[in-house]
Amino acid sequence: MDNTRKFKRREFINTSLRLGIGAGLGAIAIGLTTRSVEGKTLWQLDTSKCVQCGNCAISCVKQVSAVKCIHVTDMCGYCDLCSGYLRSNPKDLNTAAENRLCPTGAISRHFIEEPYFEYKITEELCNGCGKCVKNCGAFGNGSLQLQIQQDQCLNCNQCAIARTCPSQAFSRVDRDSPYILKGFESKKSKG
Amino acid sequence: MFFKHRRIAMKNRLQIIILALVISLLTFNAFSIQRFPKPEFDSGYKTPAVQVSKIQPAVFEFLDLGLFILIMSLVTWMVLKKRSRKGVFWISVFSLLYFGFYRNGCICPVGSVQNITMAIFNPGYTIPLTAIAFFIIPLGFTLFFGRTFCAGVCPLGAIQDLFAFRPISLKPWIRYLFGLIPFIYLGLAILYSATATDFIICRYDPFVGFFRHNASSMMFAIGGILLVTGIFIARPYCRFFCPYGVLLNLVSRVSRRHLSIAPSACINCRLCENSCPYDAIDKPTGLEVKNDNRELVKRLIVYWFITPALVVLLGWTASKYHDSLALVNFKVRLAKEIMLLEKTESNVTPPIEVTTFRSSGVSNEALYSEAAAILEKFRIGSWILGGFIGLVFGMTLARLTIYRYKNDYTANKGLCLSCARCVEYCPVKEGDTVETEVVPVPVGLENP
């Protein structure tokens, strides 16, 4: 007799707690969905804030960073003496390793016509250190820019590079415009 | 005129360097001007496209979500209706392979707690719909059916479950003591995500490195240690660290239905007694313990008064350390560094954060006031965090005094992970009726 009453009381408490939790979960779901919901957003770094500190190469959770150097070819001057490709005081103007700036040899160049060269980035070799980006920005057109290559990015909840970025250049962007490149977006809107 | 001059210069290296320097000085504040305009090619060369990768269409996320709901339903059916350990096992292997290794372990309800908190406290943060779904769905299922999510859907649980070869039974005091860690972890995770500082659950996710085959050696080491420990202490992360498990545990206690060891009345055969690797089976209570009821009530009253004191004491203690906790925040750290540099006025080269900040044009005062606002949030937050930990301590102590008479072997609704191992040991068939009244074996008398 006593026991059944106890069980009823316990059952009642359980039921009301269950209803309470259910209502709470519903409130969270509805509240957040109506307020600030969005589709998937992606991490990206703003090239105008980037200072090429080199953290991108070492802070990414991937052993080879998802940040890559992107060549905005439209901005390139096709120089022979490319400050992003060659060290600042090269012995000779050739592609020998001691003259090249990229530590992984990810930039290659191809002769087009006198005196112009095309520069290409081998993405698998690029580790996002930003050495070329720094020099190209300082002495050239700034056509080499660091960006998160979105197919490489794991889209972590909190980007590990963003945590250490000294200029706080990382933010989440809409998936419809996943790249923040200088001289690239403007071209897109024109065409 | 100017362009012509530049073209000639192209051929001479020395000149071009000087020119570049001059132009770079001239155009220092106007980046829109190209130093070396794109040449016009005579050979018909066309500029190659910019090598940026395409984005995966959004459909995949919703496919994932659909699959997630499907697997949740399937595993729940396996646990409650089919009562099949084999079924649960194979589903968990599938979840491990798909959500773990294929999807890189990153649609994960465990971490979604932080996204939800962040969205609640920071109106500017836009939360993806899938994050809300991944947070709500497992809790919803748990509310009705128990922690079936832990049993066969969570890839973190699945990988540990495979390693539970020789589980040992832990002493209750160890279980209670270590069982407090997840509450502290959850509290810290909420504090850091509410202040928009960091997502620590994701940062210290132990197994994501295995799923990606790619992580720091530290991550691998933590994961490896947990897996090896898991051979003897089954599912150590789930039981003693998982912050989402705290929520599932609490919700599961009032779940409408739950895995039952025996499909009908328990016959107290004791076959299932040692079957649970997680010490989640409540044994029938003896008869004699009830005599100590007065003592227990006395203790409960004592704890009743101790708990508020604990809340205040731990809240106060935590708030003393709020600036250390806040150092994880970038802005707070930066403000501290700059303050220190201004004070000392030595000629040390400032770190790159500081130089970058100084060139950004924001005034020190603006940064200080922003950092002060964040610190204030941390002060309040650490009070709440400490108070919460105190409350959990008090409640855990109080729970030890509550004595419930039990006749059968039952799964502890909070701790049970619904893995359905115990079900295999139960000889009772569905619909069996007990013919005679079974007298439970008093615990104190089983080994005279």
Side-chain angles (χ1 to χ4, degrees):
Chain A
M1 188 67 188
D2 186 37
N3 257 355
T4 51
R5 238 176 58 203
K6 242 184 180 169
F7 268 103
K8 268 188 183 155
R9 191 187 63 196
R10 207 171 288 159
E11 226 167 73
F12 171 74
I13 292 172
N14 273 2
T15 313
S16 28
L17 278 175
R18 196 183 311 131
L19 284 174
I21 293 170
L25 287 179
I28 289 176
I30 294 165
L32 290 181
T33 333
T34 49
R35 202 180 69 186
S36 65
V37 86
E38 208 172 84
K40 195 174 166 187
T41 50
L42 304 162
W43 285 103
Q44 194 49 273
L45 77 105
D46 187 346
T47 42
S48 62
K49 286 184 185 167
C50 176
V51 293
Q52 299 94 36
C53 64
N55 272 356
C56 288
I58 50 172
S59 300
C60 184
V61 292
K62 291 178 83 176
Q63 287 299 296
V64 179
S65 177
V67 173
K68 303 287 177 197
C69 174
I70 305 284
H71 193 194
V72 182
T73 39
D74 251 4
M75 285 177 78
C76 183
Y78 289 83
C79 313
D80 184 3
L81 184 77
C82 171
S83 55
Y85 178 72
L86 298 162
R87 284 175 196 237
S88 37
N89 47 357
K91 288 194 186 90
D92 290 302
L93 200 57
N94 63 35
T95 59
E98 73 268 22
N99 296 327
R100 287 160 71 170
L101 181 68
C102 179
T104 59
I107 309 178
S108 59
R109 73 168 180 180
H110 312 275
F111 176 73
I112 305 168
E113 59 182 62
E114 197 63 39
Y116 302 124
F117 285 87
E118 183 196 68
Y119 293 91
K120 269 189 179 159
I121 293 154
T122 317
E123 201 190 286
E124 298 83 70
L125 293 177
C126 178
N127 66 355
C129 69
K131 284 192 169 73
C132 58
V133 179
K134 196 173 197 113
N135 266 21
C136 180
F139 305 111
N141 280 351
S143 62
L144 295 172
Q145 296 171 20
L146 283 180
Q147 283 286 280
I148 295 173
Q149 193 63 281
Q150 295 294 2
D151 64 340
Q152 300 283 316
C153 180
L154 296 167
N155 200 14
C156 297
N157 227 342
Q158 167 69 51
C159 175
I161 313 173
R163 200 161 47 218
T164 59
C165 178
S167 57
Q168 296 285 288
F170 284 71
S171 59
R172 281 192 168 274
V173 294
D174 197 75
R175 58 181 302 142
D176 299 325
S177 52
Y179 296 97
I180 315 173
L181 288 160
K182 265 186 269 175
F184 179 60
E185 207 54 49
S186 56
K187 186 198 131 207
K188 218 172 140 189
S189 59
K190 260 187 231 163
Chain B
M1 183 60 197
F2 175 78
F3 287 108
K4 219 176 187 179
H5 177 73
R6 198 193 61 75
R7 282 220 167 168
I8 299 158
M10 271 291 201
K11 303 212 164 132
N12 191 320
R13 264 182 282 142
L14 202 81
Q15 262 178 295
I16 198 176
I17 292 172
I18 295 163
L19 187 73
L21 278 172
V22 170
I23 294 176
S24 72
L25 285 172
L26 285 174
T27 58
F28 191 73
N29 289 317
F31 280 104
S32 52
I33 301 165
Q34 284 194 13
R35 287 167 186 148
F36 310 107
K38 196 180 156 192
E40 280 160 27
F41 299 105
D42 304 325
S43 58
Y45 167 82
K46 280 213 174 109
T47 318
V50 177
Q51 291 175 324
V52 286
S53 56
K54 292 257 175 339
I55 311 299
Q56 217 186 22
V59 187
F60 284 98
E61 288 139 45
F62 290 98
L63 276 178
D64 274 341
L65 190 60
L67 192 66
F68 182 75
I69 295 170
L70 185 76
I71 292 179
M72 282 281 341
S73 319
L74 200 64
V75 80
T76 306
W77 177 72
M78 278 290 175
V79 169
L80 291 172
K81 278 274 168 218
K82 201 89 172 34
R83 299 170 55 77
S84 156
R85 168 65 198 156
K86 243 184 203 154
V88 175
F89 174 77
W90 286 115
I91 294 170
S92 80
V93 169
F94 173 79
S95 303
L96 176 62
L97 292 177
Y98 183 78
F99 291 115
F101 287 103
Y102 180 65
R103 300 295 298 163
N104 286 330
C106 240
I107 28 163
C108 163
V110 177
S112 66
V113 186
Q114 304 164 115
N115 299 63
I116 299 288
T117 321
M118 181 109 160
I120 290 171
F121 287 94
N122 302 281
Y125 175 75
T126 48
I127 184 170
L129 193 65
T130 42
I132 301 177
F134 276 103
F135 176 74
I136 296 287
I137 292 165
L139 283 171
F141 267 91
T142 305
L143 196 56
F144 284 94
F145 308 111
R147 297 170 70 171
T148 51
F149 166 73
C150 301
V153 188
C154 182
L156 302 180
I159 192 170
Q160 292 174 83
D161 215 303
L162 292 179
F163 277 79
F165 295 121
R166 290 276 176 278
I168 55 166
S169 180
L170 292 176
K171 293 236 155 52
W173 71 266
I174 297 179
R175 272 186 274 142
Y176 281 111
L177 194 66
F178 282 76
L180 294 171
I181 299 172
F183 286 92
I184 301 171
Y185 197 179
L186 177 71
L188 278 171
I190 288 178
L191 176 67
Y192 280 127
S193 50
T195 53
T197 298
D198 201 353
F199 284 3
I200 56 168
I201 301 176
C202 302
R203 193 169 170 181
Y204 299 109
D205 186 325
F207 303 118
V208 83
F210 294 116
F211 296 152
R212 293 169 179 166
H213 312 291
N214 198 335
S216 64
S217 42
M218 186 66 183
M219 244 176 165
F220 277 130
I222 295 173
I225 289 169
L226 278 173
L227 285 184
V228 172
T229 318
I231 297 174
F232 306 106
I233 300 165
R235 286 212 194 192
Y237 184 78
C238 303
R239 290 158 73 197
F240 304 125
F241 296 101
C242 183
Y244 191 59
V246 169
L247 300 179
L248 292 174
N249 179 326
L250 296 176
V251 169
S252 178
R253 287 180 199 183
V254 294
S255 70
R256 190 177 166 80
R257 296 190 59 194
H258 194 276
L259 165 92
S260 65
I261 302 173
S264 40
C266 173
I267 55 168
N268 279 297
C269 65
R270 300 179 59 185
L271 284 175
C272 65
E273 202 173 72
N274 296 319
S275 68
C276 185
Y278 316 117
D279 299 312
I281 294 179
D282 289 336
K283 291 170 187 167
T285 46
L287 297 166
E288 46 178 1
V289 193
K290 209 159 189 192
N291 298 337
D292 291 338
N293 213 0
R294 281 172 73 97
E295 185 58 36
L296 290 173
V297 170
K298 256 186 217 161
R299 268 165 58 194
L300 181 63
I301 293 167
V302 171
Y303 293 143
W304 196 257
F305 285 105
I306 283 179
T307 305
L310 267 176
V311 169
V312 175
L313 184 73
L314 285 175
W316 179 78
T317 315
S319 74
K320 284 280 139 201
Y321 291 100
H322 78 275
D323 27 347
S324 318
L325 287 169
L327 275 184
V328 178
N329 191 291
F330 182 85
K331 292 229 165 84
V332 174
R333 212 166 50 223
L334 183 66
K336 284 231 160 129
E337 267 171 14
I338 289 178
M339 256 183 204
L340 204 70
L341 281 169
E342 305 272 289
K343 252 187 219 161
T344 49
E345 274 181 44
S346 60
N347 48 1
V348 283
T349 42
I352 188 152
E353 298 90 30
V354 177
T355 46
T356 314
F357 172 76
R358 282 179 179 161
S359 63
S360 71
V362 184
S363 72
N364 281 1
E365 283 63 41
L367 177 73
Y368 292 162
S369 64
E370 206 178 339
I374 297 169
L375 264 177
E376 178 60 17
K377 275 187 194 168
F378 266 95
R379 201 183 61 78
I380 298 166
S382 56
W383 258 107
I384 297 170
L385 171 69
F388 170 70
I389 295 169
L391 186 71
V392 172
F393 270 49
M395 296 281 264
T396 308
L397 285 172
R399 202 177 66 189
L400 294 175
T401 66
I402 290 169
Y403 175 78
R404 271 186 193 164
Y405 186 73
K406 266 208 173 69
N407 228 341
D408 306 328
Y409 284 89
T410 48
N412 184 305
K413 280 172 91 176
L415 298 173
C416 174
L417 301 172
S418 297
C419 72
R421 279 190 180 84
C422 51
V423 167
E424 285 196 323
Y425 289 83
C426 186
V428 179
K429 296 278 174 300
E430 185 114 40
D432 274 4
T433 45
V434 187
E435 280 158 17
T436 50
E437 187 75 14
V438 179
V439 181
V441 187
V443 166
L445 300 178
E446 56 202 358
N447 292 317

